[in-house]
């Protein structure tokens, strides 16, 4: 009773409730924490954080974070991860737990397990069987938001960063590098996007915001904001132009070995940790790493993978964390790391890391057709503001002190050094131009070479986006030193809708064009290997042309062109076209005036494009690629004096496997049988008496201008035989088998006077072998090619039938 007088009932009830609450809190609490590498200080993903009895646990995410419900009587946790020594850590009374794992000193021993007794194989086979069901990103309509953070920094051990004595003992350059790494990163980029997709072919991703340290306007780097990533469920994983068989591809168990390493029980479920690596003696570009498979439906819970062979001073590592969404699975966190070992500051290499978090994932939403109009990546309406409120609403992980310092110092440096201007200049150079204020100078207008003009020098100008994003105005002038003729021209391209790849182009020019040549609306790029064929073009016509063309992108991989032109062509090589005008009277023409309607198609299913400010860019080529060009001259149109027609089609593809590749191209054309030579087809021969340069998609043993047809079909094959013969820093030969053939006809050869040529009616054939990259330096590879003519047109003399050439290739 004295107690009741001292403490009223209400206070006792409150105290009792407090005791109950404390008891419940002690009975079960949530421990959050971070798992770090004790040496580097980097987060350790997929670490198993378990209760001491192993009956419950969770895995850390890509940021090393975890949250685990812990009974009140538990005061320690058991932590393990492949590549690290296990640890038992005490629980703190409050606050987050930071766990530092020591890297394992011993290397994993070689393992050779017979398939019949390997417990991991049953798990892998089940995962392969359920690839489609569990691959939500590749097989289900969806949408999500993404936040990505890209950091380039110096690869300095975090233990060194915290050791002032060791830092003081370093050389001056290394000491400065370490102090820089203590303060900040080299580069920091953040992006946020919204993606909508209906696999396999419909997808659009809008860049909501982009920020790059040092740049006030990062729009030109918007392509890097795409959240597209590799998938372990795809048969081939493409990384940096290399293709690796997936450890979950059909037939993967014949390529890889699998070892069950660990089992983690979390939230009443089980995740099996399986190490994979290529089988002994494997001859393919393989991966090694760790798969975490969910026991319930054999879906990938997490994966870490890296190439067995790190090449060219470039190391790679990839990580993903998946989670269930409805009845399928999606990657929730994605990380890609590049080790740029050839780029160093002092003794420390540059490392780049991209981490992407996917949020608000929806499966099978109602998606109208209008959701997929336009480009795969839309980046011309993004926000480039840098205010804190905007980015705090977008980030899934807050900035730390080094991130904030990076923005402060690099932004200040960018303004002082005018980095925006430098980036615009580099972008123009990659597109084949030199920027000069509001105009660009196209590189292909400065100097060129072909067999007719010899060296050609000139100057071209075209306006850039600093003048307008809706139109481009250009002009050029040039002089050929062999034909001693001046050329000039101009064009205007108007883009009425900045969010669509539609354009109107009008042009006028006085120039030269290959006699019997053909081309398409999408011309080869400046550094294309096809450009080597210009060395062998020795017959050209003088052309005065006026044209207008409308281009419309109908679908992501389909664009159409419709236009009209007036052309006045004159021969300068002695050719005449004979026309009988009466009894015993023949008219010989060297000038041809035409008024024509033009039509073009380019279809490349699977092509990816990006709508950037002021232009539409192809970010990934589609396959196969079909191009069609049709031309119909109407007598009387634009004062033309001839009625002619011509159609040419080109279809090609490149199939790349883990070991071998096959590239092929079919070209077919048909023209009016009564057309003069400029409107026929001059088959592409490139054989000369001098040592030449190998030209893909042309005939290596055929002399220029030796075969002309009014209808033809040709086939070119290039078969990459697999791995290089040997590897050296300066030599890495790639063997390629080559085969080409053509069949054609010419109905009225007697009407073509002044030239000597025939049509390949019996079928022209050649085979050869190329060894590319026998020598390599930087981005250029030098090799050798040998080819020989076979079949009906072979002379039986090696000197006449064989060709030996150099090959030049870009190493990307």
């Amino acid at each position: 009773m004295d107690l009741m007088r001292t403490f009223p009932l209400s206070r006792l009830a409150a105290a009792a409730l407090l005791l109950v609450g404390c008891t419940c809190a002690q009975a079960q609490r949530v421990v959050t924490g971070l798992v770090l590498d004790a040496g580097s200080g980097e987060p350790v993903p997929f670490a198993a954080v378990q209760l001491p009895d192993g009956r419950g646990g969770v895995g850390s995410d890509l940021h090393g974070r975890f949250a685990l419900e812990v009974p009140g009587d538990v005061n320690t946790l058991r932590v393990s991860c492949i590549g690290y020594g296990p640890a038992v850590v005490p629980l703190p009374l409050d606050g987050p737990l930071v766990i530092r794992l020591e890297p394992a000193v011993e290397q994993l021993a070689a393992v050779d397990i017979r398939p019949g007794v390997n417990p991991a194989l049953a798990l892998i086979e089940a995962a392969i069987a359920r690839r489609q069901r569990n691959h939500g990103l590749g097989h289900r309509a969806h949408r999500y938001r993404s936040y990505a953070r890209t950091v380039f920094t110096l690869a300095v051990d975090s233990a060194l960063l915290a050791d002032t004595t060791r830092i003081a003992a370093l050389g001056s350059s290394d000491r400065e590098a370490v102090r820089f790494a203590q303060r900040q990163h080299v580069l920091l980029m953040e992006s946020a996007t919204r993606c909508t997709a209906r696999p396999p072919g419909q997808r659009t991703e809008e860049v909501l915001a982009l920020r790059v340290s040092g740049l006030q306007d990062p729009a030109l780097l918007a392509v890097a904001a795409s959240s597209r990533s590799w998938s372990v469920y795809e048969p081939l994983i493409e990384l940096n132009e290399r293709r690796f068989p997936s450890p979950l591809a059909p037939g993967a168990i014949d390529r890889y070995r699998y070892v069950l390493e660990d089992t983690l029980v979390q939230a009443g479920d089980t995740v099996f940790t399986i190490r994979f690596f290529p089988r002994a003696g494997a001859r393919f570009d393989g991966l090694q790493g760790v798969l975490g498979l969910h026991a319930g439906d054999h879906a990938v819970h997490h994966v870490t993978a890296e190439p067995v062979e790190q090449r060219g001073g470039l190391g790679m590592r990839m990580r993903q964390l998946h989670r269930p969404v409805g009845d399928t699975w999606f990657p929730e966190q994605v990380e890609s790391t590049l080790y740029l070992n050839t780029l160093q500051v002092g003794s420390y290499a540059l490392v780049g890391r991209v981490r992407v978090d996917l949020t608000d994932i929806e499966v099978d939403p109602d998606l109208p057709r209008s959701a997929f109009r336009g480009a795969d990546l839309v980046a011309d309406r993004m926000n480039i503001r840098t205010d804190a409120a905007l980015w705090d609403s977008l980030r899934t992980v807050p900035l730390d002190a080094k991130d904030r310092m990076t923005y402060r110092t690099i932004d200040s440096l960018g303004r002082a050094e005018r980095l925006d201007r430098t980036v615009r200049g580099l972008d123009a150079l990659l597109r084949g131009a030199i920027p000069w204020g509001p105009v660009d100078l196209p590189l292909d207008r400065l100097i060129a070479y072909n067999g007719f003009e010899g060296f050609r020098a000139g100057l071209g100008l075209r306006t850039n986006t600093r003048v307008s994003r809706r139109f481009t105005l250009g002009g050029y002038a040039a002089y050929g030193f062999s034909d001693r003729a001046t050329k000039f021209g101009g064009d205007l391209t108007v883009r009425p809708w900045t969010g669509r790849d539609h354009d109107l182009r009008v042009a006028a020019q006085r120039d030269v064009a290959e006699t019997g040549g053909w081309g398409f609306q999408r011309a080869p790029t400046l550094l294309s290997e096809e450009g080597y064929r210009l060395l062998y073009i020795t017959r050209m016509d003088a052309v005065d042309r006026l044209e207008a063309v409308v281009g419309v992108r109908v679908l992501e991989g389909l664009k159409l062109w419709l236009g009209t032109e007036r052309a006045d062509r004159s021969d300068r090589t002695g050719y005449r076209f004979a026309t009988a005008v009466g009894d015993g009277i023949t008219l010989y023409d060297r000038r041809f005036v035409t008024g024509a309607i033009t039509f073009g198609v380019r279809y490349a299913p699977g092509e990816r494009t990006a709508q950037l400010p002021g232009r539409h860019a192809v970010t990934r080529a589609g396959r196969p690629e079909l191009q069609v060009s049709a031309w119909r001259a109407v007598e009387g149109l634009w004062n033309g004096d001839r009625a002619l027609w011509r159609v040419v089609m080109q279809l090609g593809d490149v199939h790349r496997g883990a070991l071998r590749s096959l590239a092929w191209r079919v070209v077919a054309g048909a023209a009016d049988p009564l057309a003069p030579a400029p409107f026929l087809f001059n088959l592409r021969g490139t054989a000369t008496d001098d040592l030449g340069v190998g030209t893909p998609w042309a005939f290596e043993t055929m002399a220029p201008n030796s075969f002309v047809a009014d209808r033809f079909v040709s086939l070119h094959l290039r078969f990459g035989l697999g791995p290089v013969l040997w590897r050296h820093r300066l030599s890495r030969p790639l063997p390629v088998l080559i085969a080409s053939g053509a069949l054609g006809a010419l109905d009225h050869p007697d009407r073509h006077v002044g030239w000597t040529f025939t049509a390949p009616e019996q079928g022209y054939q050649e085979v050869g072998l190329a060894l590319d990259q026998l020598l390599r330096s930087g981005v250029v590879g030098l090799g050798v090619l040998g080819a020989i003519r076979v079949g009906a047109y072979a002379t039986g003399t090696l000197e006449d039938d064989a060709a030996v050439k150099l090959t030049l290739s870009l190493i990307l």
Side-chain angles (χ1 to χ4, degrees), residues 124-125 127-132 232-236 244-256 258:
I124 293 296
E125 288 172 344
I128 293 174
R130 299 192 181 190
R131 287 168 55 246
Q132 182 169 335
V232 72
Y233 287 115
E234 296 295 335
L236 286 176
F244 306 91
S246 168
L248 292 183
I253 58 176
D254 296 326
R255 297 178 180 265
Y256 289 98
Y258 305 88

Side-chain angles (χ1 to χ4, degrees), residues 573-590:
T573 63
Y575 169 81
R576 298 293 184 271
F577 181 67
T579 303
V581 295
D583 292 339
I585 301 174
T586 302
L587 178 65
Y588 294 92
D589 290 330
R590 59 181 293 270

Side-chain angles (χ1 to χ4, degrees), residues 95 273 456 716 798:
T273 301
R456 169 178 169 140
H716 301 275
L798 186 64

Side-chain angles (χ1 to χ4, degrees), residues 4 75 133 145 148 212 229 258 305 311 365 376 432 442 484 513 534 571 638 654 656 718:
M4 292 293 293
N75 53 23
R133 174 182 175 182
R145 295 172 70 97
V212 180
S229 181
Y258 305 88
R311 297 181 185 172
D376 176 80
R484 299 181 180 180
L534 294 175
D571 179 80
W638 311 123
V654 179
R656 300 185 188 276
R718 297 176 63 85

Side-chain angles (χ1 to χ4, degrees), residues 33-37 41-47 59-66 97-99 147-151 319-321 332-335 353-359 395-398 400 403:
L34 189 64
V35 184
L36 302 176
D37 184 301
E42 295 294 323
V44 176
F46 319 137
S60 59
D61 66 10
L62 283 180
H63 304 285
R65 302 172 302 189
F66 69 90
L97 174 64
V98 177
I99 303 170
Y147 166 76
R149 183 178 300 175
T150 301
V151 170
R319 291 168 169 167
Q320 287 187 351
L321 178 65
E332 181 182 30
Q333 296 178 343
V334 179
E335 178 189 88
R353 182 176 295 107
V354 183
R355 287 177 178 160
V356 184
D357 293 339
L358 306 187
T359 59
R395 292 183 181 114
T396 56
V397 178
D400 60 23
D403 296 330

Side-chain angles (χ1 to χ4, degrees), residues 39 96 108 130 163 174 225 257 263 279 347 390 441 447 482 498 529 551 558 637 665 670 751 781 793:
L108 291 171
R130 299 192 181 190
D163 192 333
D174 284 354
R257 289 206 179 276
T263 303
R279 288 177 174 268
S347 302
L390 169 69
L441 282 67
I447 190 167
S482 290
T498 57
E529 293 175 335
L558 175 63
L637 179 63
R665 178 178 292 185
R751 302 192 65 176
Y793 293 98

Side-chain angles (χ1 to χ4, degrees), residues 683 699 702 712-715 740-744 760 762-765 793:
L683 301 192
F699 291 93
M702 179 190 293
F712 82 101
V713 61
S714 65
L715 171 65
S740 297
L743 183 67
Q762 300 179 60
Y764 189 94
Q765 303 162 54
Y793 293 98

